[in-house]
Amino acid sequence: MKKYLLFPVLVVSFGLNLWGADFSLSAGAGGLLGGFFTRYNATGTTAADKMTQKVNQFNYGGLLFFDATYAELAVIIQGGAGNYNEVMRKGDAMAPRDGKGWESTLGFSLLGKYPFTLSERFKLSPLLGIDYQLALLERRRQTGGIVYDRTNGIQEQDKDGKKFPLSTWNSFWINVGAGLDYNITKQIYVRGELLYGFRLMTSYEKDGLEQMKELLNDNNPTLSGLTSGPSLRFAVGYRFWSK
């Protein structure tokens, strides 16, 4: 029985030795600034049949994070404001929409990291992770129009002519970047992280592609483009356990 109990002890001991003397647990809070750029183009059998989507957005928000040296989990409340331009064209017939938009999201971010000690006070960490954002509010104003809720089913409808649920704008991101920690004391530190994110297509964008397929009677239009953008996170953390 003793040898079976010894095995998990050895595994834990090996893991702690692998992590090294500076493994720690900490938590903190901070804010973020960033933005993203959407550029999608879908073309049918002729160049005159196409759909384009352009969005430029500035983001801002606050975050709470928990850190375990090699991983960081954050909960983020974020707002965004920007402009958009969407065009669906079939031959000479064109249906353009442009204006301004606003949104709020609740995000959950998980970053893997490997810290390098630069000095007694500075640590640098390459970062790679994912971010899932739940849409809390989606509003737009077309040029010359009023501000409207995008889920009201009046100004915007899905491919079946129904109103969009709010979850249509939930999004999944892949992030890459680097972070820098500055130790003020043994327990308190300041953290800065610069990330660049790549967003997978949202349900809204997938629905727009389906609408184009129906409009052009083309089940395989050529699609190009993506949504991506930078973000800067800044926070203060407190180490409550370290080895």
Side-chain angles (χ1 to χ4, degrees), residues 27-222:
L32 67 86
L33 296 172
F36 66 79
F37 317 97
T38 296
R39 297 291 186 272
Y40 275 112
N41 293 281
T43 306
T45 53
T46 65
D49 298 336
K50 62 182 180 179
M51 176 186 72
T52 62
Q53 181 190 22
K54 298 179 181 179
V55 179
N56 302 303
Q57 181 164 303
F58 172 73
N59 293 328
Y60 50 87
L63 61 91
L64 299 174
F65 74 88
F66 173 79
D67 186 279
T69 301
Y70 298 98
E72 176 192 291
L73 176 65
V75 179
I76 302 168
I77 290 287
Q78 182 171 269
N83 57 75
Y84 68 92
N85 179 277
E86 298 171 346
V87 176
M88 193 170 293
R89 181 194 299 269
K90 180 175 175 59
D92 294 330
M94 183 172 63
R97 290 191 300 192
D98 59 68
K100 296 182 179 181
W102 300 266
E103 71 173 17
S104 297
T105 63
L106 173 63
F108 301 90
S109 170
L110 178 62
L111 292 171
K113 52 201 277 288
Y114 194 90
F116 294 93
T117 300
L118 301 179
S119 68
E120 184 179 348
R121 292 190 179 274
F122 286 98
K123 286 186 179 179
L124 178 68
S125 301
L127 303 171
L128 178 64
I130 57 175
D131 188 353
Y132 187 72
Q133 297 181 5
L134 298 171
L136 302 178
L137 178 129
E138 287 286 337
R139 288 180 178 171
R140 273 187 171 181
R141 181 177 65 203
Q142 287 185 259
T143 299
I146 62 172
V147 176
Y148 65 89
D149 186 332
R150 301 182 71 184
T151 64
N152 65 13
I154 300 173
Q155 287 87 353
E156 299 184 47
Q157 300 88 31
D158 66 14
K159 63 182 179 62
D160 299 317
K162 299 179 181 179
K163 66 180 182 178
F164 287 111
L166 190 56
S167 60
T168 302
W169 291 278
N170 292 352
S171 59
F172 184 86
W173 294 76
I174 298 174
N175 294 315
V176 61
L180 184 67
D181 290 353
Y182 174 75
N183 296 321
I184 299 175
T185 68
K186 186 176 180 180
Q187 284 77 36
I188 300 173
Y189 62 92
V190 177
R191 169 168 295 175
E193 295 173 341
L194 181 61
L195 300 170
Y196 199 89
F198 301 88
R199 191 182 76 185
L200 277 63
M201 289 187 73
T202 62
S203 295
Y204 173 76
E205 291 161 343
K206 293 176 181 177
D207 184 88
L209 186 60
E210 292 301 315
Q211 290 191 43
M212 181 184 175
K213 290 179 181 179
E214 292 184 6
L215 176 68
L216 304 181
N217 194 25
D218 184 350
N219 290 323
N220 191 29
T222 301

